[in-house]
Amino acid sequence: MNSYGPEKNSRLFGFSYKEDELEQINKVSPVPPNMDDGVTVAAGGLYGYAVDLDQQAGKDYELIRKYRCMAMHPEIDIAIENIINEAIVSDTNDSPVSIDLSNLDVSERIKTIIREEFSYILHLLDFNNKAHEMFRRWYIDGRLYYQKVIDLNQPERGITDIRNIDALKIKPIREYKKPALPEPNLKNTRKTYSSSTGEVFGKASTQMPARVVEYFAYNKKGMNYMGRSFGNSGQNQTVKIARDAVTYVTSGLVDGNNGMVMSYLNKAQKSLNQLRWMEDAIVIYRMARAPERRLFYIDVGNLPKAKAEQYLRDTMARYRTKITYDQATGEIRDNKKYMSMLEDYWLPRREGGRGTEVSTLPGGQNLGELSDLKYFQDKLYRSLNIPLSRMQEGAGFQIGKSDNIMRDEVNFSKFVGRMRKKFAGIFVDMLKTQLVLKGVVTPKEYDSMKEHITYDFVYDNHFAELREGEMLMQRMNVASMCEPYLGKYFSVYQVRHNILGYTDAEIKEQDRQIAYERNVGIIPDPNAQLAAENEEEMAAEGQPVDLAGGQVPQDDMDLSGAGGPPSSVDIVNAAANLNK
């Protein structure tokens, strides 16, 4: 029987499952577990461990803020909405997700309890109404945190509340500590043990830490306020929360160089910056080159330089106008005292030239060319795994054959399926806590059961449905072509298994369902239908038909009662009797 509550001699807030410490100590390995979850590992050595959150937490803090700023750009926002609308399909009557226990080998009573607890978790999360916002936060930040609140006085009640934690305020930590129990007694230190025995030799058990302590560091002001230690005044009230009291789901993308969790927006940073730079460059170029400017060549004759410049300024002031419009007040003003590069050019010309002249400087050419901007925009959408056909202007949705489905749509459907599996980790962890606290299963039992529990999201990708329909049609055509050769070249099992693609379990289930539908009359029995067709054919030919089906035996046609066909004498006597 497992007990729950805060660990003894611990400052962890919340609750945790108490596991067998001996089992943890026997798992000795120089490789730490779960290196792909982006957890900060406490650095240390022989004399202790310390957590340095100054740099690591600061990097995560800035990275998450960068992701959220990226999501505010219109191109990124449109792409995110396309992905979320494909992953989370809101139906008026159904929930966006349901649990499938068909592969779980437990009793029906346990399955019923699991379904009820799963519905209770969806109710606590308000998943039917907030599924879109939850998936959006997870997609942008690359991680999602939820605290599971329970009644420590009555843990058997299960989870009583679920609260979302901002990813900027919490950080997962992992420490490796020395085993508290004595060193295992190793009989033969020179013997080589396999990995399945769980034993070590030499002094590996004392050199490698065997006990793993995981917790979360939480600060209400943000992880950038977390320091090197816990509990002092400079820490700004950073607290430790037990690992089992928080549900932590990541995107699964981890930087292999520094172990930091990345968002799906990470690879779009460069493309977005290039797109912004290109847009700014186009705007600046058009503003500088679009207007046509006038060139005034003023003949100054043989005037000295000072008088020539004064004469040029007087001419500029006499003819130059700068009319401005104030959008706020509606006033029109003449701002002649301001001069900009977008106005006319005034150039002096010495004696011997062509005199005073006014000409026009043409504006920039090909200002409507946007091919380079379109290139960076398409590059941005490709970095987000969005099919370009979805982002084209005026492109409508058409239902057609699977031959018209582009490869990008198939890949996009697979990408959304992978994200759904990662996001479903939130249900895996919460369902485990609920079932363990209520005593339905133990933690070890649930770890063996969770591989057989699947979560079905409502699907709305019509391209995948069209592809599956086309494949089923092709299989049925091949099966119909093999039907005349059943029993000669093909067996029924081979057609159902190899051509139609049924598994052995599906074949058994289909046979059971077909037999049930025949018994209740949903579908007709093919043998009875064949007998009825034979009766109709014999009745059309004028042959006697037995009530039970089939042709009447020849003996029943003998009018004299003797066997064999009637003779001519019998026929004459029978006619005479009819005349009488």
Tab-separated table of all heavy atoms in Angstrom, residues 475-503:
chain	number	residue	atom	x	y	z
A	475	ARG	N	-8.180	-1.670	-52.537
A	475	ARG	CA	-8.129	-3.002	-51.922
A	475	ARG	C	-9.376	-3.813	-52.256
A	475	ARG	O	-9.298	-5.013	-52.529
A	475	ARG	CB	-7.995	-2.854	-50.408
A	475	ARG	CG	-6.626	-2.341	-49.957
A	475	ARG	CD	-6.643	-2.006	-48.487
A	475	ARG	NE	-5.369	-1.490	-48.023
A	475	ARG	CZ	-5.187	-0.889	-46.854
A	475	ARG	NH1	-6.234	-0.707	-46.039
A	475	ARG	NH2	-3.998	-0.454	-46.520
A	476	MET	N	-10.542	-3.145	-52.238
A	476	MET	CA	-11.775	-3.859	-52.564
A	476	MET	C	-11.779	-4.315	-54.023
A	476	MET	O	-12.268	-5.409	-54.348
A	476	MET	CB	-12.968	-2.956	-52.279
A	476	MET	CG	-13.159	-2.621	-50.807
A	476	MET	SD	-13.408	-4.085	-49.781
A	476	MET	CE	-14.919	-4.717	-50.471
A	477	ASN	N	-11.248	-3.515	-54.920
A	477	ASN	CA	-11.169	-3.920	-56.322
A	477	ASN	C	-10.272	-5.141	-56.500
A	477	ASN	O	-10.597	-6.070	-57.249
A	477	ASN	CB	-10.652	-2.765	-57.175
A	477	ASN	CG	-11.642	-1.607	-57.248
A	477	ASN	OD1	-12.842	-1.810	-57.083
A	477	ASN	ND2	-11.137	-0.407	-57.493
A	478	VAL	N	-9.134	-5.148	-55.808
A	478	VAL	CA	-8.243	-6.317	-55.904
A	478	VAL	C	-8.901	-7.537	-55.292
A	478	VAL	O	-8.795	-8.660	-55.821
A	478	VAL	CB	-6.902	-6.001	-55.214
A	478	VAL	CG1	-6.003	-7.235	-55.202
A	478	VAL	CG2	-6.192	-4.851	-55.920
A	479	ALA	N	-9.616	-7.358	-54.170
A	479	ALA	CA	-10.294	-8.493	-53.544
A	479	ALA	C	-11.381	-9.069	-54.451
A	479	ALA	O	-11.559	-10.294	-54.527
A	479	ALA	CB	-10.880	-8.067	-52.203
A	480	SER	N	-12.124	-8.212	-55.148
A	480	SER	CA	-13.156	-8.700	-56.069
A	480	SER	C	-12.540	-9.439	-57.260
A	480	SER	O	-13.130	-10.397	-57.769
A	480	SER	CB	-14.008	-7.523	-56.553
A	480	SER	OG	-13.214	-6.586	-57.263
A	481	MET	N	-11.362	-9.016	-57.683
A	481	MET	CA	-10.689	-9.730	-58.769
A	481	MET	C	-10.181	-11.096	-58.320
A	481	MET	O	-10.088	-12.026	-59.132
A	481	MET	CB	-9.512	-8.894	-59.282
A	481	MET	CG	-9.923	-7.574	-59.943
A	481	MET	SD	-8.516	-6.514	-60.324
A	481	MET	CE	-7.608	-7.567	-61.453
A	482	CYS	N	-9.889	-11.253	-57.038
A	482	CYS	CA	-9.404	-12.541	-56.517
A	482	CYS	C	-10.537	-13.499	-56.173
A	482	CYS	O	-10.288	-14.688	-55.932
A	482	CYS	CB	-8.545	-12.318	-55.278
A	482	CYS	SG	-7.034	-11.386	-55.574
A	483	GLU	N	-11.786	-12.989	-56.143
A	483	GLU	CA	-12.891	-13.835	-55.697
A	483	GLU	C	-13.093	-15.081	-56.568
A	483	GLU	O	-13.337	-16.175	-56.027
A	483	GLU	CB	-14.165	-13.000	-55.649
A	483	GLU	CG	-15.353	-13.741	-55.056
A	483	GLU	CD	-16.565	-12.851	-54.913
A	483	GLU	OE1	-16.473	-11.672	-55.315
A	483	GLU	OE2	-17.589	-13.336	-54.398
A	484	PRO	N	-12.974	-15.026	-57.908
A	484	PRO	CA	-13.148	-16.266	-58.693
A	484	PRO	C	-12.070	-17.318	-58.435
A	484	PRO	O	-12.272	-18.489	-58.774
A	484	PRO	CB	-13.087	-15.767	-60.151
A	484	PRO	CG	-13.396	-14.305	-60.081
A	484	PRO	CD	-12.835	-13.854	-58.784
A	485	TYR	N	-10.963	-16.916	-57.852
A	485	TYR	CA	-9.846	-17.850	-57.646
A	485	TYR	C	-9.724	-18.289	-56.198
A	485	TYR	O	-8.715	-18.902	-55.832
A	485	TYR	CB	-8.531	-17.190	-58.084
A	485	TYR	CG	-8.552	-16.712	-59.511
A	485	TYR	CD1	-8.783	-15.372	-59.811
A	485	TYR	CD2	-8.350	-17.604	-60.575
A	485	TYR	CE1	-8.813	-14.928	-61.120
A	485	TYR	CE2	-8.378	-17.164	-61.881
A	485	TYR	CZ	-8.604	-15.826	-62.152
A	485	TYR	OH	-8.630	-15.394	-63.459
A	486	LEU	N	-10.764	-18.003	-55.380
A	486	LEU	CA	-10.737	-18.469	-54.009
A	486	LEU	C	-10.828	-19.989	-53.971
A	486	LEU	O	-11.665	-20.601	-54.656
A	486	LEU	CB	-11.901	-17.863	-53.211
A	486	LEU	CG	-11.805	-16.364	-52.911
A	486	LEU	CD1	-13.051	-15.895	-52.173
A	486	LEU	CD2	-10.562	-16.069	-52.095
A	487	GLY	N	-9.989	-20.613	-53.190
A	487	GLY	CA	-9.938	-22.058	-53.114
A	487	GLY	C	-9.044	-22.698	-54.146
A	487	GLY	O	-8.777	-23.894	-54.064
A	488	LYS	N	-8.608	-21.911	-55.132
A	488	LYS	CA	-7.717	-22.454	-56.158
A	488	LYS	C	-6.319	-21.855	-56.046
A	488	LYS	O	-5.331	-22.593	-55.996
A	488	LYS	CB	-8.301	-22.173	-57.542
A	488	LYS	CG	-7.500	-22.792	-58.679
A	488	LYS	CD	-8.189	-22.555	-60.021
A	488	LYS	CE	-7.393	-23.207	-61.154
A	488	LYS	NZ	-8.043	-22.986	-62.481
A	489	TYR	N	-6.247	-20.534	-56.017
A	489	TYR	CA	-4.953	-19.870	-55.877
A	489	TYR	C	-4.846	-19.070	-54.568
A	489	TYR	O	-3.734	-18.797	-54.113
A	489	TYR	CB	-4.709	-18.904	-57.039
A	489	TYR	CG	-4.693	-19.578	-58.391
A	489	TYR	CD1	-5.664	-19.287	-59.347
A	489	TYR	CD2	-3.712	-20.507	-58.714
A	489	TYR	CE1	-5.655	-19.899	-60.582
A	489	TYR	CE2	-3.699	-21.132	-59.945
A	489	TYR	CZ	-4.670	-20.825	-60.884
A	489	TYR	OH	-4.661	-21.429	-62.101
A	490	PHE	N	-6.005	-18.683	-54.026
A	490	PHE	CA	-6.002	-17.862	-52.823
A	490	PHE	C	-6.929	-18.489	-51.792
A	490	PHE	O	-7.934	-19.119	-52.140
A	490	PHE	CB	-6.485	-16.426	-53.116
A	490	PHE	CG	-5.680	-15.716	-54.170
A	490	PHE	CD1	-6.140	-15.642	-55.480
A	490	PHE	CD2	-4.472	-15.125	-53.853
A	490	PHE	CE1	-5.409	-14.997	-56.442
A	490	PHE	CE2	-3.737	-14.479	-54.824
A	490	PHE	CZ	-4.195	-14.409	-56.124
A	491	SER	N	-6.575	-18.280	-50.528
A	491	SER	CA	-7.454	-18.647	-49.429
A	491	SER	C	-8.172	-17.393	-48.934
A	491	SER	O	-7.732	-16.268	-49.171
A	491	SER	CB	-6.659	-19.281	-48.283
A	491	SER	OG	-5.745	-18.352	-47.725
A	492	VAL	N	-9.283	-17.600	-48.231
A	492	VAL	CA	-10.032	-16.467	-47.706
A	492	VAL	C	-9.187	-15.690	-46.700
A	492	VAL	O	-9.195	-14.461	-46.662
A	492	VAL	CB	-11.351	-16.953	-47.069
A	492	VAL	CG1	-12.100	-15.787	-46.427
A	492	VAL	CG2	-12.220	-17.638	-48.106
A	493	TYR	N	-8.424	-16.404	-45.891
A	493	TYR	CA	-7.565	-15.736	-44.906
A	493	TYR	C	-6.510	-14.874	-45.594
A	493	TYR	O	-6.213	-13.761	-45.143
A	493	TYR	CB	-6.900	-16.781	-44.023
A	493	TYR	CG	-5.901	-16.190	-43.046
A	493	TYR	CD1	-6.318	-15.614	-41.850
A	493	TYR	CD2	-4.538	-16.211	-43.328
A	493	TYR	CE1	-5.414	-15.057	-40.971
A	493	TYR	CE2	-3.626	-15.664	-42.447
A	493	TYR	CZ	-4.065	-15.095	-41.263
A	493	TYR	OH	-3.160	-14.552	-40.392
A	494	GLN	N	-5.953	-15.373	-46.695
A	494	GLN	CA	-4.924	-14.606	-47.390
A	494	GLN	C	-5.500	-13.316	-47.969
A	494	GLN	O	-4.858	-12.258	-47.916
A	494	GLN	CB	-4.302	-15.446	-48.511
A	494	GLN	CG	-3.154	-14.751	-49.228
A	494	GLN	CD	-2.559	-15.611	-50.323
A	494	GLN	OE1	-3.098	-16.669	-50.644
A	494	GLN	NE2	-1.457	-15.164	-50.906
A	495	VAL	N	-6.701	-13.382	-48.506
A	495	VAL	CA	-7.324	-12.182	-49.057
A	495	VAL	C	-7.626	-11.173	-47.958
A	495	VAL	O	-7.368	-9.970	-48.102
A	495	VAL	CB	-8.606	-12.556	-49.827
A	495	VAL	CG1	-9.361	-11.310	-50.259
A	495	VAL	CG2	-8.265	-13.407	-51.040
A	496	ARG	N	-8.138	-11.644	-46.837
A	496	ARG	CA	-8.498	-10.729	-45.764
A	496	ARG	C	-7.269	-10.168	-45.048
A	496	ARG	O	-7.283	-9.026	-44.580
A	496	ARG	CB	-9.404	-11.448	-44.759
A	496	ARG	CG	-10.686	-11.972	-45.370
A	496	ARG	CD	-11.513	-12.748	-44.368
A	496	ARG	NE	-12.098	-11.890	-43.356
A	496	ARG	CZ	-12.877	-12.343	-42.364
A	496	ARG	NH1	-13.153	-13.654	-42.287
A	496	ARG	NH2	-13.363	-11.510	-41.477
A	497	HIS	N	-6.228	-10.980	-44.944
A	497	HIS	CA	-5.049	-10.551	-44.191
A	497	HIS	C	-4.080	-9.753	-45.056
A	497	HIS	O	-3.612	-8.670	-44.655
A	497	HIS	CB	-4.342	-11.770	-43.593
A	497	HIS	CG	-3.200	-11.429	-42.688
A	497	HIS	ND1	-1.909	-11.252	-43.151
A	497	HIS	CD2	-3.150	-11.203	-41.354
A	497	HIS	CE1	-1.117	-10.942	-42.143
A	497	HIS	NE2	-1.839	-10.912	-41.035
A	498	ASN	N	-3.750	-10.241	-46.233
A	498	ASN	CA	-2.716	-9.613	-47.051
A	498	ASN	C	-3.262	-8.495	-47.942
A	498	ASN	O	-2.587	-7.483	-48.145
A	498	ASN	CB	-2.019	-10.657	-47.921
A	498	ASN	CG	-1.269	-11.698	-47.101
A	498	ASN	OD1	-0.976	-11.472	-45.937
A	498	ASN	ND2	-0.973	-12.842	-47.699
A	499	ILE	N	-4.462	-8.695	-48.492
A	499	ILE	CA	-4.999	-7.711	-49.436
A	499	ILE	C	-5.794	-6.633	-48.713
A	499	ILE	O	-5.562	-5.430	-48.904
A	499	ILE	CB	-5.848	-8.415	-50.508
A	499	ILE	CG1	-4.962	-9.391	-51.322
A	499	ILE	CG2	-6.508	-7.388	-51.431
A	499	ILE	CD1	-5.718	-10.168	-52.361
A	500	LEU	N	-6.742	-7.031	-47.873
A	500	LEU	CA	-7.540	-6.053	-47.142
A	500	LEU	C	-6.809	-5.472	-45.951
A	500	LEU	O	-7.225	-4.439	-45.412
A	500	LEU	CB	-8.858	-6.690	-46.700
A	500	LEU	CG	-9.784	-7.145	-47.832
A	500	LEU	CD1	-11.056	-7.768	-47.265
A	500	LEU	CD2	-10.124	-5.986	-48.759
A	501	GLY	N	-5.743	-6.127	-45.512
A	501	GLY	CA	-4.925	-5.573	-44.443
A	501	GLY	C	-5.482	-5.779	-43.053
A	501	GLY	O	-5.113	-5.041	-42.134
A	502	TYR	N	-6.341	-6.782	-42.838
A	502	TYR	CA	-6.877	-7.047	-41.511
A	502	TYR	C	-5.849	-7.810	-40.674
A	502	TYR	O	-5.136	-8.680	-41.173
A	502	TYR	CB	-8.166	-7.870	-41.593
A	502	TYR	CG	-9.365	-7.122	-42.133
A	502	TYR	CD1	-10.496	-7.793	-42.586
A	502	TYR	CD2	-9.366	-5.740	-42.179
A	502	TYR	CE1	-11.599	-7.106	-43.086
A	502	TYR	CE2	-10.453	-5.041	-42.673
A	502	TYR	CZ	-11.559	-5.724	-43.121
A	502	TYR	OH	-12.633	-5.033	-43.606
A	503	THR	N	-5.799	-7.494	-39.386
A	503	THR	CA	-4.994	-8.284	-38.462
A	503	THR	C	-5.813	-9.482	-37.984
A	503	THR	O	-7.019	-9.584	-38.234
A	503	THR	CB	-4.563	-7.433	-37.266
A	503	THR	OG1	-5.733	-6.975	-36.556
A	503	THR	CG2	-3.763	-6.209	-37.730
